[in-house]
Amino acid sequence: SFELFLSSLHEQGVSPDMVAGVITETYQGGGASFMPAPYARRLAEWCEENDVVLILDEIQAAFGRTGRKFGFEHYGIVPDIMCCGKGISSSLPVAAVIGRADLLDQYEPGSMTSTHTGNPICAAAALASLELISGERLWENSAAVGEVLHQEMRRLQEKYPNAVGSVQGKGLVCGLHIVRDGRKEPDPDLAFDIVTRCVEKGLLLFSPVGKATVKICPPLVINEEQIREGVSVLDEAMAGSL
């Protein structure tokens, strides 16, 4: 609950007037775990009440991944600042910091720079990526096809209850938390074996993240048939691992 946030500050001797900003991922990237919406809204209210800058890390969540244009839309809040990357260019290294004008306009144009600022190739890739995402409204495909993905993941959880502790995520991001014998204890060896078998069968997945999460983040243009084909491979891999 949000009371834990408040009590944690109190235990550290931190009062609201000592806090400049709060930063959190829109969802925990390692396990695709979202905050409860009431928690996120209460956090936003607390920040506004105490003149604290709310910063959301949308590097994984933005640009349609969760079935919305931005992940924070699931909470009904708007951050003061958000950090974006990854999906902004669909692969090339580029990032953006987006926020309220009164915060970001404190610096004159050209007064801030970095080693990789203004790379023309990455800028062109970002523009092309954003045009495609917006023009084809890929967040809508993410939401629709994501429903199929999560239905299939819940089916696997029911089929392998001793191996899948929980299924997290929204849209086209999903995390299967792999556990030992139906308990809460993560099973990284089993998770790695599942992923290895998937790769051997032609289904490319991340190496398990967060110790033992099989994370699924397919392209935003994927269709239902491709989702079902990929899940069938994952099902075979899990059957072979157990």
Side-chain angles (χ1 to χ4, degrees):
S1 73
F2 189 70
E3 294 306 314
L4 177 61
F5 174 87
L6 298 177
S7 63
S8 297
L9 289 180
H10 180 73
E11 289 171 5
Q12 297 296 320
V14 176
S15 59
D17 63 299
M18 298 167 64
V19 180
V22 173
I23 183 169
T24 180
E25 289 183 300
T26 297
Y27 67 81
Q28 295 298 299
S33 302
F34 282 70
M35 293 180 280
Y39 182 101
R41 289 194 289 268
R42 183 66 189 93
L43 175 62
E45 291 169 358
W46 183 87
C47 287
E48 184 175 5
E49 291 166 359
N50 293 284
D51 195 26
V52 172
V53 176
L54 176 60
I55 307 163
L56 290 187
D57 177 343
E58 285 260 327
I59 289 172
Q60 294 192 38
F63 309 117
R65 173 57 57 188
T66 70
R68 302 283 181 88
K69 292 180 181 179
F70 296 97
F72 62 75
E73 294 180 62
H74 290 285
Y75 301 133
I77 64 174
V78 178
D80 299 304
I81 291 176
M82 64 176 173
C83 309
C84 298
K86 294 187 177 179
I88 197 172
S89 67
S90 298
S91 70
L92 293 185
V94 63
V97 177
I98 304 169
R100 287 173 16 208
D102 61 309
L103 295 173
L104 299 188
D105 288 353
Q106 296 182 64
Y107 301 93
E108 294 294 326
S111 63
M112 295 185 68
T113 187
S114 69
T115 304
H116 297 290
T117 295
N119 183 297
I121 296 176
C122 293
L127 288 173
S129 178
L130 295 176
E131 287 173 4
L132 180 66
I133 292 170
S134 179
E136 298 194 11
R137 301 178 67 85
L138 289 184
W139 58 87
E140 294 179 353
N141 186 66
S142 177
V145 180
E147 285 292 324
V148 177
L149 172 64
H150 288 277
Q151 288 172 8
E152 289 295 297
M153 292 302 102
R154 289 191 292 270
R155 179 180 65 79
L156 291 183
Q157 184 181 21
E158 293 175 0
K159 186 174 182 179
Y160 304 108
N162 289 331
V164 182
S166 69
V167 175
Q168 301 292 326
K170 295 181 187 295
L172 287 176
V173 59
C174 184
L176 271 66
H177 295 194
I178 306 301
V179 297
R180 300 183 192 278
D181 302 321
R183 303 192 300 269
K184 292 183 178 181
E185 182 185 356
D187 192 337
D189 293 336
L190 177 56
F192 191 83
D193 190 60
I194 291 170
V195 169
T196 299
R197 289 172 182 269
C198 283
V199 173
E200 290 172 349
K201 293 174 181 290
L203 179 64
L204 183 62
L205 294 177
F206 293 104
S207 181
V209 294
K211 289 188 177 180
T213 296
V214 175
K215 191 173 177 184
I216 300 167
C217 297
L220 300 187
V221 295
I222 199 168
N223 61 37
E224 181 177 336
E225 179 183 356
Q226 293 164 336
I227 285 287
R228 295 191 186 280
E229 179 183 0
V231 172
S232 70
V233 175
L234 176 57
D235 193 348
E236 291 178 7
M238 294 181 72
S241 297
L242 297 172

